[in-house]
Amino acid sequence: DTAVSQTPKYLVTQMGNDKSIKCEQNLGHDTMYWYKQDSKKFLKIMFSYNNKELIINETVPNRFSPKSPDKAHLNLHINSLELGDSAVYFCASSQERSDRVAYGYTFGSGTRLTVV
Amino acid sequence: KNQVEQSPQSLIILEGKNCTLQCNYTVSPFSNLRWYKQDTGRGPVSLTIMTFSENTKSNGRYTATLDADTKQSSLHITASQLSDSASYICVVSATVYKLSFGAGTTVTVRA
């Protein structure tokens, strides 16, 4: 069973369109994240939700809107897609322990978004 | 300037040989340091995690070291296998949830 699953794996769309990427984790973790990996392979955090509450919101255009219907799901909706949005988007989850370390940080397999 | 610098950017080794990857960081305060392996087209997979008080951690043929005083870490791969070909990413955490990623070292193992 896939621990962190995201769909779709590939997404090709035209500029100006609106699209969503879905993420689900079955690890029982209480925190979920969205990361963007650019062409230089850097992973940068975009958002993080802990028990459905937004706890990290980096400098991301407001065209990107995360939604967490429950702690096992964190979806990413992108409005008015631009060429620069082309990247690989990774979902992840983790569980904080008493020593204030996020353990079990697990990534999904990524969604390759191509805006044409 | 990125707070996590990795070297070398890439390396090629022969199957069965050992190699060592380096990570220097400036992230402060420091909570923990992780090494991830990312295969092409896949998400990163955790290899090791070390907190401030730990200076070495092993996971099979992978051994990570940490010197929190000099803010340096290394990942040693012993007796490399073809399946070790991947990108290895050093990740440093200052807070519980926010991780700072290095650009990774691409390792290619050749038969």
Side-chain angles (χ1 to χ4, degrees), chain B residues 30-94:
Chain B
F30 173 82
S31 172
N32 57 83
L33 184 145
R34 310 162 192 251
W35 282 94
Y36 280 87
K37 178 187 179 188
Q38 186 174 17
D39 292 313
T40 301
R42 307 294 298 273
V45 175
S46 180
L47 294 175
T48 63
I49 177 171
M50 290 178 289
T51 57
F52 187 87
S53 59
E54 298 172 296
N55 54 27
T56 188
K57 185 73 71 79
S58 290
N59 178 357
R61 295 179 296 100
Y62 301 102
T63 299
T65 64
L66 171 65
D67 186 334
D69 291 331
T70 61
K71 299 188 176 181
Q72 295 179 327
S73 177
S74 66
L75 180 69
H76 187 75
I77 305 175
T78 303
S80 60
Q81 299 177 358
L82 296 178
S83 60
D84 292 331
S85 294
S87 179
Y88 292 84
I89 305 172
C90 176
V91 185
V92 182
S93 178

Side-chain angles (χ1 to χ4, degrees), chain A residues 40-53:
Chain A
K40 295 182 179 179
K41 304 298 184 184
F42 275 107
L43 273 154
K44 295 181 181 177
I45 193 166
M46 300 173 67
F47 302 103
S48 177
Y49 273 74
N50 177 267
N51 284 317
K52 300 195 299 175
E53 276 194 43

Side-chain angles (χ1 to χ4, degrees), chain A residues 9 31 33 35 37 40-43 45 48 50 55-56 58 90 94 96 100-103 105 107-109, chain B residues 2 4 31-32 34 36 38 41-46 49 51 87 89 95-103:
Chain A
K9 188 169 177 62
T31 306
Y33 313 77
Y35 283 85
Q37 188 170 42
K40 295 182 179 179
K41 304 298 184 184
F42 275 107
L43 273 154
I45 193 166
S48 177
N50 177 267
I55 55 172
I56 294 176
E58 290 297 290
F90 287 97
S94 71
E96 182 185 349
R100 298 285 294 164
V101 175
Y103 282 95
Y105 224 107
F107 286 84
S109 57
Chain B
N2 195 38
V4 181
S31 172
N32 57 83
R34 310 162 192 251
Y36 280 87
Q38 186 174 17
R42 307 294 298 273
V45 175
S46 180
I49 177 171
T51 57
S87 179
I89 305 172
T95 66
V96 178
Y97 303 112
K98 196 168 176 182
L99 309 183
S100 295
F101 288 75

Side-chain angles (χ1 to χ4, degrees), chain A residues 30 34 52-54 84 98 102 110:
Chain A
D30 55 14
W34 276 109
K52 300 195 299 175
E53 276 194 43
L54 182 66
S98 58

